[in-house]
Amino acid sequence: MKPTALTAAAVALVVMACGVLLDRLVPARPEAGPAAPGAGSAGRFLSTGWYCPVPPGDGLSSLAAVTNLGDEPLRLRRWGVAGSAATPFQVGDLGPKDRRVVDVKDLGIGEGVAIIEAFGAATMSDALVLGRGTGVASTPCSVQPWTRWLFAVASTARGQDTSLLVTNPFEEEAVIRVRIVTPDADAVPARLKDLVIPPLSQTAVLMAEYYPETASFGMDVTAVRGRVVVSRFSHVATRDGLRGLGLELGLRAPAPRWQFAGGAVPEEGDEHIVLVNPTDREALVQVIFQTEAEQVGAPELAELPVPAARQIAVKVADFLPRGTRHGTTVASSNGVPIVAERQTIATVGGGRRVESTFGVAAPASRWALPVGSPSGGEDSLAITNTGGRAAVARVALITDQGEARPPELSQLSVEPGRRVTVDLTPFLGGGMATALVESAGAAVTVEHHLVLGEPYRDFADGPGRPL
Amino acid sequence: MAARRVLAVLVTHNGKQWLGESLGALAAQDYPALDVVVVDNGSDGSAEPSVRQLLPWAEFVRLERNVGFGAAANHALEVSSSAPGADCFVFLHDDVAMDPDCVRRLVEAASETEAGIVGGKAVAWDRPEVLVEVGMAADQFGYPFSGLEDGEIDQGQHDVRRDVLFVTSACILASRSMVERCGSWDGGYFAFGEDLDLCMRARLSGFRVVVQPAARFRHAVALANRQRDAEPANAIRFYTRRNRPRTIAKNAAGHRVWAVLFLYTVLATAEMVMLATLRRFDEIPAYPKAFLSFLASVPDVLRRRRAVQKRRTVSDRRMRRYMVRDLHRGRVFFERRLSEWGSGTLELGARTFARLSPVALRATLRAWVRRPATAAIAGVALALVVALHGVLFGDVLGGGGLWPYPESVGRLLGEYLAGWRDVGLGTSAAAPAAFPLLWLAGALALGKAWLAQKVLVVGLVAAGLIGLNRSIGRRTAFVPARVFAVVIYAAGPVVALAVGTGDLGALALYAGLPYIVEIVQRMLVSTPGRDEERAPTPLTANEMARDGLRLALIAAGVVALAPSAYPALGLLCLLAGLHSLGAVWHWGERLRRMLWVAASIGLAGLLLVPWSLEAARPEGAILAPLFSGLGGGERFRAQWSGQGFSSMFLLNPGAGVPAAVVAVAVAAGALALSSGARRRECDRLVLLWFAFALAGGLVAKGWAPAPSASAAMWLTVPLVSLAMLGVHMAAGLREELPRHALGWRHGLALGLLLAVSAGVLAGWLPRLGAWGRASSTLAADTGDAVSGPISSFFESTATQKGEFRILWMGEGLLGPVRAGVRSSAGTPFVVTRPEGLTMLDAFRSSPTAGERRVEEVVDALLGRRLHLAGHLLAPAGIRFIVVDPADDRMMAAMAGQRDIALRQQQTELAIFETLEPLPRAAFAPEPLIPVASAEAPDDRALMQVDWGGAAALPRESLTGFRAELDGRTTAPGLILLGDNFNSGWRATAGGERLRHAEAFGWSNAFVLPAGARGAVGIGYARDWVRGVWVTLQAGMVAIAIAMARVRTRELEGLLR
C-alpha cells in the first residue's frame, strides 16, 4: 500500500461526500410547470362553452353577455336549451376586447339555459335578470357542467321561493340528489333522492314543494348520473315587505377558505355570513373582516365551530358598526372544507331588499367581472387585500365601445388587510361593461355592488372571476 | 440375335495415374462387339503411348485443349469411324476401371429394360469394398444425393436393378435411340452436372434411366477429390454452382423454373454468408463468377430448353418420384452432428452442443458440486428467488418498459416486418429492434405473456449476474471476492428499482453491462489477473475483430431494449478510451484500439437498421426521444431532482446510510488495497462511476438533456463499477496484506470490511423481501384490467361501432410507464388500439404529425382552453379517454367537455366516451367534406362539425377494410382514414383507385368521385424497401454472430 493509494482513496471519498453537498449547492433547474387551469394558462385558447341559466317567471328579462378577453377575434355560437330541445345555432363574430349582450328571448328561450360557445380566444360570460318591480339578479355563467353543486343559503319560508335550476345540456339523462343542511338537521327528502333530469332540458325544482316552510338551509346537489349545471333562483316577496330577486350559480366544491371582497353592514337591515359544513367532520372556522381602515377579528370568531352537516350564520353587525364597508375572510383552521355565502338585507329606494352572494376561494392578480346594467344604476367595486404586502390595482372596462382604461382607476393602492371601494358609475355611462382588474404587489379579491333604482329597486352583488 | 454393337468412349485429361488400369480394364472386357475410342482432352501428351500400348486397336483422338468431358465425348462421336454403326455408347472417365463383365451387364440391362441410359455400381478405386455410387437422386436444386453413408461397405445391399434419376457419367451406357432423340452431352457444362442433365433429358423424353449394380467399376473420383493437379482450387465450386441452375433452367417445367431458380439464388447467397463467417473469402468470388457465367449462357440455355421442352413427354410431377423431396444436405448435416454428439466424437459441431452432451453435463455437474463456490451461488440464487418472489409468483407485469404482450405474440414480429406500424395514430417509422427479441421471448414461452415476462425479467437479472461472475473470474480465483461482487451487483439498487417498475431497458443494460465493460477493457487495455504484472500481449486483428463484434452485438441487444443506453455506452467507451491513454501501448496501438471500440459501437447502431436510420430523419426515432425529454426523462428528473448527486454517487436511493457506507467503504478499500494493474483498473472504474454519477445528477437537476432513461439505468454503470471494485478490494485483502507486517493497514482493512458487512446487512439485505412488483399502481395492473371486463367492453364496442382508439392520460395511470408515453402540460398520455396498452405501444418513435395534434388537444383540454375536445380528437379515431380518477384537475377538465361523457368510473380508472366519435375509417357526408379536405385544419370549424354524420366502415384488420357503397353514400364523398398520412395507403371503389389526399393536416382522405359504386377497399401497399432493410439486418446480425461465436470448422460440413 503506497501513500498514493491512500490519497486516491481519500480523494474518492471526498468526491462521493460532495454528492450530498452538490445536491444542496446545485439547484434544480426551473422549468415550466403544468399549465394552470383557467384562461391565464399558456397555449392557444381553443374554445369555451358557457351555460347561462334563464329563470322562469313572467316579467323577467334575461340577458346573457359575453366578453372577448383576448387580443384575437373569435367566433361565437349561441343557442339554448328550452323544454327538452335545443334551439338552432346563432353564429357570430366578436372582436378583441369586445363585449356583446344578447337577450335570451332572441335565442328562442323563455326559460331554460342559454349556451354561448366561443371559439378562438378566452372569454367570460355572465347573466343578468331584470324584473320590473321585482328586482335584479346577476350571476356568472357556468363554464362546465359538474357532478356536485353547493349552496349555503336557501329559504322556503312564506313569501320566499327558492328554486334550483338544474340544467342537463347533454343528450343523456341525468339523475340528481339534493341534500338539505339546516342548523339542526341533515336530510335528503325522499322525492329529491333520485330526481331525473331529462336530456337537453332545464328543470326548475321548487324547493317549497319538497322541503316547505324552512327559514334557512343549505343545499348539496349531487348528480349521481350525468353532469348538470345548477343555479339557485330566489324570488322574495314577503308580507313584511321584503323583496328581492336572486340568481346564483352554485359552488362546485367546498373549500377551507373563502373571501368576500365586498359587503357592508346596513344601517337598516342585516348582514350574515352563512356557513355550511357538508362534510362529516366539525370545522373550526375563523372569520376576519377587512374594513377600509383596519382588519378586524373577534375572539368569538377565532375558532367558530361549524358542526358536521350543519348550517350556521354569523351576524356581522355584532362585530362591526353599522354602515361599515368591509371585506370578509372565512378560513377553516382545521382544514375541513366548508361553503360560505353572504346574505344581506338592506334598504334600497325605501324598500327592504335581500341578496346573497358567494365568495372566492383564493385571491388572484387578474380578475374579470360584469358591472353595470342596461338600466343604469350605481355600481361600485370593492377591492380587498388580505395579503401581507400592499397592492396596486388597475381597472379597465370593456364596453360595447371597446376597452377603456380610466386614469382614475389606474393606480388604486390597497394596503394589506384593507378594503378599497371604487365607484364605477361615472365610467359606465349608464350601460354594462366587463371590468378587468389587475393588481401588482399582492393578490387581491374583487366584488361589485350594483344598485338599481326604479322600477327595479334592488341591488345585486357578485364576485369576480379569476383569470 | 447378334450382339449389340457398343462404342466405348474414354475421355482422359492428365490422368496417367489411373489411365493404365482403365485401359487395361477396357481391354479385358468380355463383351465381344466393343469398339473403343480414347479422347485425349488437352492432356500433356502422356496418354497416347499408353493407349497405343494397351489398346492398340482403339481409335485415338486428340484435342488441343481441355473442352470438358461432354464436349470431348461429343467430339469423339463425331469423328469416330465406329460411331455410326454403334447401337450403344459407353462413356468412361479415365479414373474408372471396369470389371471384365461390366459392359456386357450394362448392355444386357439396356436390352432387358429398354432403358435409354444404364449405369453401374461404382466402388472406391483403392478400396473396392467401399461403395461410391449406385445410382443417384437429386433435390430440386440439382444437389446430388447418393443415398449412401460415408464409407458404406458393399455387402450387396444395393444390388437390385432399379430406375433412378441419374447415373454418374464416369461409366454410363446410352442407347443410340436416346442420343438421337435427346441429343448427346451438353458441352456447356465442362465438368460436373452433365450426367444429371443427360439423364433428366432422357427421362423427360420418356426413356428409362436404370442402374445395374451387377455392372461394377472402380472409380477414383479424381476431379471431385482434387487429385488432378491442374485443376484450380475453386474450379469445382464454380462449375457446380454454375451448372446446377443450368440444369434447372433447361429441364424444369415452366411453372416451376422461376421459383426454383429464385430459391436456388437464396441458397447460394446463404452459402456465401457462411463462407464469409468462416473467413474463407477467397472462395466467395466463385459464386458471383458462376452466376455471371450462367447469365452469359442464358441464350444457349434457352435454345436448349426449348428443344428439351419440345420433346418432353413426362411431367415434373412424375419426375419427382426419383428425386429427394427435401433439402437433404441440411438434413444429412444435422443427422451427422446428432450422431457425433451422441457418440462423443463430435468434431465439427458447435461447442455448445459439446457442452450439452450427456457426458459433458455429468462431468460439469460433478465439478460444480465439488466447488466451494457452489454453496455461495446457491445462496445468491435463493436470495434472488426471495427477492423476486413478487415477479415469479405474481400476475402479469405492467408499467416501466414492460408492458403487457399483445393478444397475439406474433403481432410483434408482424409489426417489425411490416412497412406500417399500427400503433398510436399509425406511423411508417421503422419498428424497434426490440420487437424481434420480445417476440422471440414470447414465442419461446409458447405465447404465454405472463411466462415470457417472467423469463425476461428473471433471465436478464441472471444474465447480468452470470456476466459479472465470468468477468471477475478473469480477475481473481478468490471465491469470496467473486461472491462478494455478485452480492453487491445483485443486491444493489438497480434490480430493486428496475424489477419493481418492470423497467426492461434498465434490466437489459444490467444484463449486458458486465460483458460490455469487460470487452471494452480488454480491447483498450488488459484484464488484470494473477499475472497482472506481466506486460499484456497485444491482441491480434482477428481477436480484436472478434471482441469488437461481440461488443457490437451485446450493445445492439441492449440498445434494442433500451434506446437511451446508446449514448451512455458511447460515453462509457469514451471515458475508458481516455483512460487508456495512460496504458502501456504506444500511440499507434492506443489509436488502433480506440478505433476498434468506436467502430464496434458504431456497428451496434448499424445492426439495428432500419430503426437506427430513423436518427437521420429530422425528427428521428432515436435522437428525438432521447433528448426531447420524452418518456422517463421528465419523471426521472421530477423524482430525483432533490437527491440526484448523492443518490448517484452513493448508490443509495431509498436505502439511506447503510448503502452509502457500502459504497464508500468498497471504493476506498479497492483504491487503498490494490496495486499495479488492479489499481489501474480501479482508477478506471472509479472514473466511470463518478462520471456517470455526475452526469446522472446533472440530468436529475435539469442541467443536462433528459434522455428517456430511468434512475435504474443511470445507476447501472456505477453499480457495475462498485461490484468490480469489490473484487479488487477483496483480492487486495488477500494479496496485499500478507506482504506487510501486522499494522495499521490491517486495522484499516478490518474496519472497511466491518463497514461493508454492516452496510450490506443493515441496508440491502432487509430490502430483499420488498422487491418484486411496484406498488399496485394502475399502470402495473393495466394488463389485468384491460384483459378483464373493460377489455371486453372495448372489444364489443369496436365490433359494434367500428375501429377506434383509446387515449390514456394521467400520472397515476401511466406514472411508472416510460416507454411510448408522451407528455403534455406535465401529464403523460398515450394513444392505443382498442385492446389497450401493449408492448406494441412501447418503443414509440418521435411524435408524428397526428400525435402532435393530439398533444395540442390534450394541452388545451388540461389547460381548460377547450370545451369540445371530443370534436378535435374525433379525426384521430379516439372514442374513449381513460383517466386517473384521483387526479382532480384532470377530472375537472374532462367534466368541462360538452362532447365527452363519463361512461364508467372505478377506483383506478374513469372511462369517458366522446359523444360524437368519428370511427377510424368512415364515409364522410357532404357537410363534413370541406373540413376534412382542408389540409390546414381550422379548430373552430372542426369543433362545429357534426361528426355523427359520418358512417363507420366495418371493423376489419387495418389493411383489409371492405365495404359496399350500397347507395348510402352519394358521391362526391370522402373516405376518412384516421391514420398518419402516408402515401402507402390505397383505396379503391368499384375497382377504381381513389385519389389520396391529406386531411386535417395529418390524416388520410380518399376522394370518392361522382357516381362511385361497388365495393370499397382500403389497404396498405407493402413497403419492399422495408423488406430489404430487414433482410440486410438479419444478414448482418447473422454474420456478426457467426464471426463472433462460430469456429471456422463448424460450418464446413455444410459447404462440402
Side-chain angles (χ1 to χ4, degrees):
Chain A
M1 231 182 300
K2 297 175 183 175
T4 52
L6 289 174
T7 308
V11 169
L13 293 182
V14 168
V15 172
M16 292 168 78
C18 282
V20 181
L21 196 63
L22 280 172
D23 274 332
R24 296 184 181 276
L25 292 178
V26 180
R29 190 180 184 184
E31 55 187 328
S41 56
R44 198 158 53 97
F45 216 100
L46 298 179
S47 69
T48 323
W50 297 98
Y51 304 88
C52 305
V54 181
D58 295 332
L60 296 182
S61 168
S62 296
L63 304 174
V66 59
T67 306
N68 182 354
L69 301 173
D71 297 323
E72 300 286 330
L74 56 80
R75 177 86 48 87
L76 288 176
R77 184 168 68 174
R78 290 162 296 189
W79 51 295
V81 171
S84 59
T87 61
F89 294 136
Q90 290 184 9
V91 180
D93 295 314
L94 188 61
K97 293 285 186 330
D98 197 3
R99 176 184 166 90
R100 183 159 304 165
V101 180
V102 184
D103 190 332
V104 295
K105 285 183 182 145
D106 296 341
L107 299 177
I109 308 168
E111 62 178 279
V113 62
I115 299 172
I116 301 173
E117 293 177 289
F119 301 96
T123 54
M124 197 197 74
S125 187
D126 51 88
L128 185 71
V129 180
L130 296 164
R132 288 177 174 274
T134 316
V136 61
S138 74
T139 183
C141 299
S142 172
V143 79
Q144 69 177 95
W146 193 239
T147 53
R148 192 180 189 195
W149 298 90
L150 295 149
F151 303 88
V153 173
S155 175
T156 51
R158 191 174 298 271
Q160 300 194 30
D161 291 334
T162 299
S163 302
L164 286 175
L165 304 181
V166 187
T167 302
N168 178 6
F170 300 106
E171 293 181 351
E172 295 181 342
E173 188 178 85
V175 177
I176 64 164
R177 176 174 302 165
V178 182
R179 176 185 173 210
I180 305 295
V181 180
T182 70
D184 310 310
D186 164 31
V188 178
R191 289 161 59 202
L192 291 178
K193 199 166 271 180
D194 288 304
L195 193 62
V196 175
I197 311 297
L200 287 175
S201 74
Q202 185 184 77
T203 301
V205 182
L206 188 59
M207 292 307 295
E209 294 180 0
Y210 301 91
Y211 206 74
E213 297 190 3
T214 305
S216 179
F217 58 90
M219 296 180 289
D220 181 356
V221 184
T222 305
V224 293
R225 190 162 78 225
R227 290 168 287 156
V228 292
V229 177
V230 183
S231 305
R232 179 192 61 208
F233 177 59
S234 49
H235 184 193
V236 179
T238 61
R239 287 183 180 175
D240 59 358
L242 186 64
R243 298 283 186 276
L245 209 55
L247 181 63
E248 293 294 334
L249 187 70
L251 295 176
R252 293 208 305 267
R257 184 183 179 93
W258 293 103
Q259 289 187 219
F260 300 86
V265 189
E267 297 288 352
E268 296 176 25
D270 270 321
E271 184 187 55
H272 288 91
I273 304 295
V274 184
L275 306 174
V276 165
N277 178 0
T279 71
D280 54 3
R281 286 174 55 208
E282 182 182 73
L284 298 174
V285 174
Q286 183 183 28
V287 182
I288 299 171
F289 303 103
Q290 295 87 23
T291 70
E292 290 168 340
E294 60 180 343
Q295 183 160 285
V296 178
E300 308 93 294
L301 299 180
E303 278 206 341
L304 185 66
V306 184
R310 292 293 183 272
Q311 180 204 51
I312 68 165
V314 175
K315 187 175 180 182
V316 182
D318 293 345
F319 305 97
L320 292 177
R322 291 195 175 272
T324 306
R325 293 193 286 196
H326 63 92
T328 309
T329 300
V330 179
S332 166
S333 54
N334 63 350
V336 175
I338 56 170
V339 179
E341 200 167 347
R342 191 186 71 230
Q343 188 177 49
T344 309
I345 297 173
T347 304
V348 176
R352 292 170 64 228
R353 297 291 181 259
V354 61
E355 170 70 13
S356 294
T357 187
F358 286 106
V360 294
S365 22
R366 295 182 73 227
W367 294 92
L369 69 169
V371 292
S373 83
S375 305
E378 298 172 356
D379 206 332
S380 61
L381 181 69
I383 306 174
T384 301
N385 178 4
T386 56
R389 291 188 300 169
V392 177
R394 181 175 65 173
V395 180
L397 295 169
I398 297 176
T399 65
D400 296 345
Q401 280 75 44
E403 186 180 17
R405 293 182 177 274
E408 299 90 331
L409 304 180
S410 62
Q411 198 76 18
L412 303 170
S413 180
V414 191
E415 293 301 313
R418 304 286 189 279
R419 165 186 158 156
V420 167
T421 308
V422 182
D423 187 6
L424 297 177
T425 312
F427 310 104
L428 295 174
M432 296 175 75
T434 297
L436 298 176
V437 182
E438 291 177 315
S439 76
V444 297
T445 53
V446 299
E447 186 180 316
H448 82 109
H449 176 66
L450 172 68
V451 180
L452 287 184
E454 289 294 344
Y456 306 105
R457 289 202 298 163
D458 197 4
F459 68 97
D461 298 331
R465 177 184 289 272
L467 297 179
Chain B
M1 194 175 73
R4 300 172 75 179
R5 194 87 207 154
V6 174
L7 174 63
V9 180
L10 188 149
V11 179
T12 180
H13 173 72
N14 293 336
K16 64 181 179 183
Q17 187 179 346
W18 310 280
L19 186 62
E21 279 196 65
S22 182
L23 293 172
L26 261 176
Q29 289 299 308
D30 60 4
Y31 192 74
L34 178 66
D35 298 314
V36 176
V37 56
V38 178
V39 185
D40 182 353
N41 192 14
S43 297
D44 53 10
S46 60
E48 188 170 0
S50 301
V51 175
R52 297 295 177 218
Q53 181 186 353
L54 297 171
L55 276 178
W57 44 271
E59 289 185 72
F60 183 80
V61 179
R62 178 174 172 77
L63 295 170
E64 291 303 318
R65 62 182 181 85
N66 184 1
V67 296
F69 174 80
N74 289 347
H75 181 71
L77 296 185
E78 289 172 8
V79 301
S80 169
S81 56
S82 307
D87 300 312
C88 301
F89 305 101
V90 173
F91 299 97
L92 296 164
H93 291 188
D94 59 0
D95 57 349
V96 163
M98 293 185 289
D99 284 358
D101 59 351
C102 183
V103 172
R104 178 169 57 79
R105 290 190 182 276
L106 288 173
V107 173
E108 285 173 359
S111 301
E112 290 166 13
T113 60
E114 297 182 351
I117 291 177
V118 181
K121 175 166 71 179
V123 295
W125 181 269
D126 295 326
R127 297 177 62 198
E129 73 276 13
V130 174
L131 287 169
V132 175
E133 286 172 12
V134 194
M136 303 274 278
D139 63 17
Q140 57 182 333
F141 305 112
Y143 287 98
F145 175 62
S146 70
L148 302 176
E149 298 293 330
D150 276 350
E152 184 174 333
I153 301 299
D154 181 17
Q155 296 173 311
Q157 68 270 38
H158 297 291
D159 288 353
V160 176
R161 188 170 68 198
R162 66 187 194 280
D163 282 76
V164 292
L165 181 66
F166 78 104
V167 294
T168 174
S169 60
C171 175
I172 185 172
L173 180 145
S175 68
R176 169 174 286 281
S177 58
M178 193 286 294
V179 171
E180 286 178 347
R181 180 169 170 75
C182 305
S184 185
W185 302 95
D186 181 349
Y189 279 78
F190 193 85
F192 297 107
E194 66 276 77
D195 42 12
L196 175 63
D197 170 63
L198 181 72
C199 294
M200 286 188 78
R201 280 189 280 132
R203 279 217 165 272
L204 289 174
S205 299
F207 291 98
R208 292 177 65 184
V209 177
V210 171
V211 65
Q212 169 56 289
R216 199 183 79 137
F217 58 91
R218 291 184 297 138
H219 187 196
V221 202
L223 185 59
N225 290 338
R226 300 183 184 177
Q227 291 172 342
R228 294 183 193 274
D229 299 337
E231 291 302 328
N234 271 334
I236 299 172
R237 193 174 301 281
F238 167 74
Y239 289 129
T240 53
R241 268 57 178 180
R242 184 195 67 172
N243 292 345
R244 281 169 188 159
R246 185 180 178 95
T247 305
I248 298 166
K250 282 173 65 179
N251 299 304
H255 64 278
R256 285 182 59 241
V257 66
W258 291 112
V260 176
L261 279 177
F262 171 75
L263 290 173
Y264 180 84
T265 309
V266 172
L267 281 175
T269 307
E271 286 187 12
M272 282 192 284
V273 169
M274 281 194 278
L275 283 172
T277 62
L278 296 171
R279 291 184 275 282
R280 282 159 50 179
F281 299 110
D282 55 329
E283 297 179 33
I284 293 177
Y287 285 83
K289 190 177 161 191
F291 185 66
L292 292 174
S293 177
F294 169 69
L295 288 181
S297 68
V298 163
D300 177 51
V301 171
L302 289 178
R303 183 176 56 77
R304 290 174 185 271
R305 173 181 169 79
R306 279 194 292 273
V308 172
Q309 300 303 325
K310 192 175 175 182
R311 290 191 297 268
R312 174 192 279 266
T313 59
V314 176
S315 68
D316 274 12
R317 189 173 56 80
R318 288 180 58 194
M319 287 282 283
R320 235 173 275 161
R321 70 180 64 171
Y322 304 110
M323 301 172 77
V324 285
R325 288 174 181 263
D326 53 355
L327 190 61
H328 79 278
R329 280 164 57 87
R331 182 169 57 82
V332 169
F333 174 80
F334 286 110
E335 281 177 358
R336 285 178 184 167
R337 299 290 85 74
L338 287 172
S339 168
E340 289 165 355
W341 183 46
S343 62
T345 60
L346 184 67
E347 290 178 356
L348 300 176
R351 281 180 297 169
T352 308
F353 278 136
R355 290 198 200 103
L356 292 174
S357 71
V359 177
L361 280 177
R362 273 197 298 275
T364 307
L365 199 59
R366 272 193 223 107
W368 255 72
V369 171
R370 289 174 188 156
R371 284 168 61 182
T374 303
I377 292 169
V380 171
L382 185 64
L384 276 176
V385 169
V386 173
L388 299 177
H389 70 279
V391 176
L392 291 170
F393 310 112
D395 297 327
V396 176
L397 293 172
L402 199 58
W403 287 20
Y405 270 80
E407 285 175 357
S408 163
V409 172
R411 278 198 58 203
L412 284 166
L413 192 62
E415 288 262 342
Y416 187 68
L417 298 176
W420 176 258
R421 289 200 64 199
D422 186 14
V423 60
L425 302 185
T427 175
S428 56
F435 277 13
L437 301 176
L438 295 170
W439 165 79
L440 192 62
L444 290 175
L446 302 176
K448 303 292 183 190
W450 60 270
L451 181 60
Q453 289 194 328
K454 287 163 193 194
V455 166
L456 270 175
V457 171
V458 178
L460 287 172
V461 172
L465 297 178
I466 291 169
L468 185 81
N469 185 47
R470 284 171 61 112
S471 176
I472 56 185
R474 296 193 179 93
R475 286 161 176 76
T476 182
F478 187 37
V479 172
R482 298 173 66 168
V483 174
F484 179 51
V486 169
V487 167
I488 287 179
Y489 200 50
V494 174
V495 178
L497 285 171
V499 171
T501 57
D503 190 343
L504 196 59
L507 288 174
L509 188 62
Y510 181 86
L513 206 56
Y515 300 94
I516 290 172
V517 170
E518 171 67 16
I519 293 172
V520 168
Q521 293 213 96
R522 191 165 61 221
M523 290 177 77
L524 288 174
V525 277
S526 64
T527 302
R530 278 168 291 182
D531 54 350
E532 60 192 28
E533 297 305 330
R534 197 176 65 187
T537 309
L539 295 178
T540 64
N542 212 351
E543 290 168 324
M544 199 64 105
R546 186 167 294 183
D547 271 347
L549 284 166
R550 286 174 179 161
L551 175 61
L553 281 165
I554 296 170
V558 169
V559 173
L561 293 168
S564 53
Y566 199 33
L569 293 180
L571 176 65
L572 187 147
C573 293
L574 178 69
L575 291 169
L578 289 176
H579 194 268
S580 75
L581 293 179
V584 294
W585 320 115
H586 57 77
W587 275 102
E589 180 67 11
R590 289 172 194 158
L591 186 63
R592 170 177 165 264
R593 285 166 176 260
M594 280 192 266
L595 286 175
W596 270 109
V597 171
S600 304
I601 292 296
L603 179 62
L606 199 60
L607 291 176
L608 296 176
V609 293
W611 183 69
S612 54
L613 281 180
E614 294 284 322
R617 303 198 323 177
E619 297 163 345
I622 292 180
L623 297 181
L626 285 189
F627 295 109
S628 63
L630 295 173
E634 285 181 357
R635 244 150 278 150
F636 168 59
R637 185 177 285 182
Q639 192 177 353
W640 297 93
S641 63
Q643 50 174 347
F645 290 108
S646 51
S647 286
M648 297 296 152
F649 274 113
L650 299 173
L651 285 159
N652 69 338
V657 175
V661 167
V662 174
V664 168
V666 169
L671 286 169
L673 296 174
S674 59
S675 60
R678 282 196 192 284
R679 172 63 200 286
R680 285 193 289 279
E681 185 170 80
C682 287
D683 290 347
R684 261 194 312 280
L685 294 169
V686 168
L687 175 71
L688 287 179
W689 176 350
F690 285 6
F692 271 80
L694 192 66
L698 288 173
V699 171
K701 292 282 183 183
W703 296 106
S708 50
S710 60
M713 288 183 70
W714 276 111
L715 284 165
T716 309
V717 172
L719 183 64
V720 82
S721 301
L722 178 71
M724 287 188 168
L725 285 169
V727 174
H728 292 305
M729 177 189 174
L733 284 170
R734 191 189 191 202
E735 294 167 11
E736 286 284 333
L737 289 183
R739 296 180 194 168
H740 301 280
L742 194 63
W744 62 270
R745 295 179 180 84
H746 297 77
L748 173 68
L750 184 64
L752 290 174
L753 266 181
L754 286 175
V756 169
S757 305
V760 168
L761 289 173
W764 285 356
L765 292 186
R767 298 170 64 200
L768 284 181
W771 285 5
R773 305 186 58 173
S775 58
S776 181
T777 61
L778 178 62
D781 295 330
T782 299
D784 299 334
V786 175
S787 63
I790 297 172
S791 176
S792 305
F793 169 67
F794 287 146
E795 282 297 317
S796 62
T797 308
T799 306
Q800 293 165 15
K801 299 181 178 177
E803 180 93 9
F804 60 81
R805 294 192 178 92
I806 304 170
L807 171 65
W808 306 74
M809 288 199 298
E811 184 68 29
L813 195 65
L814 301 167
V817 178
R818 294 178 303 101
V821 174
R822 305 242 176 274
S823 182
S824 179
T827 300
F829 74 92
V830 68
V831 177
T832 71
R833 285 163 47 86
E835 65 196 70
L837 304 166
T838 71
M839 280 181 176
L840 295 171
D841 301 295
F843 305 100
R844 302 280 279 277
S845 59
S846 55
T848 58
E851 283 167 333
R852 280 196 298 273
R853 177 87 183 121
V854 171
E855 194 174 315
E856 286 174 12
V857 175
V858 170
D859 186 53
L861 188 154
L862 297 176
R864 309 277 191 89
R865 291 179 276 109
L866 172 65
H867 84 295
L868 291 168
H871 276 70
L872 297 186
L873 294 173
I878 293 172
R879 188 184 190 104
F880 292 100
I881 301 160
V882 185
V883 303
D884 174 14
D887 189 332
D888 292 337
R889 171 175 158 249
M890 195 177 307
M891 289 296 283
M894 293 303 298
Q897 304 307 310
R898 192 173 63 76
D899 54 357
I900 293 175
L902 180 66
R903 278 287 167 265
Q904 288 188 33
Q905 181 164 355
Q906 302 178 4
T907 313
E908 293 177 320
L909 52 79
I911 301 175
F912 291 87
E913 182 176 8
T914 55
L915 295 176
E916 289 192 35
L918 178 67
R920 193 173 168 191
F923 288 116
E926 237 172 308
L928 206 152
I929 293 172
V931 179
S933 56
E935 292 189 2
D938 179 353
D939 292 328
R940 292 181 297 187
L942 281 177
M943 284 187 281
Q944 293 173 50
V945 166
D946 177 14
W947 294 118
L953 283 166
R955 186 194 183 209
E956 301 290 345
S957 67
L958 182 65
T959 55
F961 281 113
R962 289 274 157 206
E964 289 292 330
L965 285 178
D966 67 12
R968 58 183 170 167
T969 304
T970 56
L974 280 183
I975 294 173
L976 297 174
L977 179 64
D979 278 88
N980 272 291
F981 181 79
N982 185 277
S983 57
W985 286 112
R986 303 272 189 275
T988 56
E992 293 290 322
R993 190 168 156 184
L994 302 180
R995 187 169 68 82
H996 188 191
E998 197 172 44
F1000 315 119
W1002 66 273
S1003 187
N1004 301 271
F1006 297 100
V1007 182
L1008 276 169
R1013 289 178 178 280
V1016 166
I1018 301 175
Y1020 185 76
R1022 292 284 173 195
D1023 183 3
W1024 64 271
V1025 176
R1026 169 75 180 162
V1028 170
W1029 277 119
V1030 171
T1031 307
L1032 182 67
Q1033 183 194 33
M1036 286 195 301
V1037 171
I1039 291 171
I1041 291 174
M1043 290 181 76
R1045 290 285 304 163
V1046 179
R1047 292 165 72 99
T1048 305
R1049 292 174 300 166
E1050 286 181 347
L1051 294 180
E1052 285 188 339
L1054 271 178
L1055 293 164
R1056 276 188 308 184

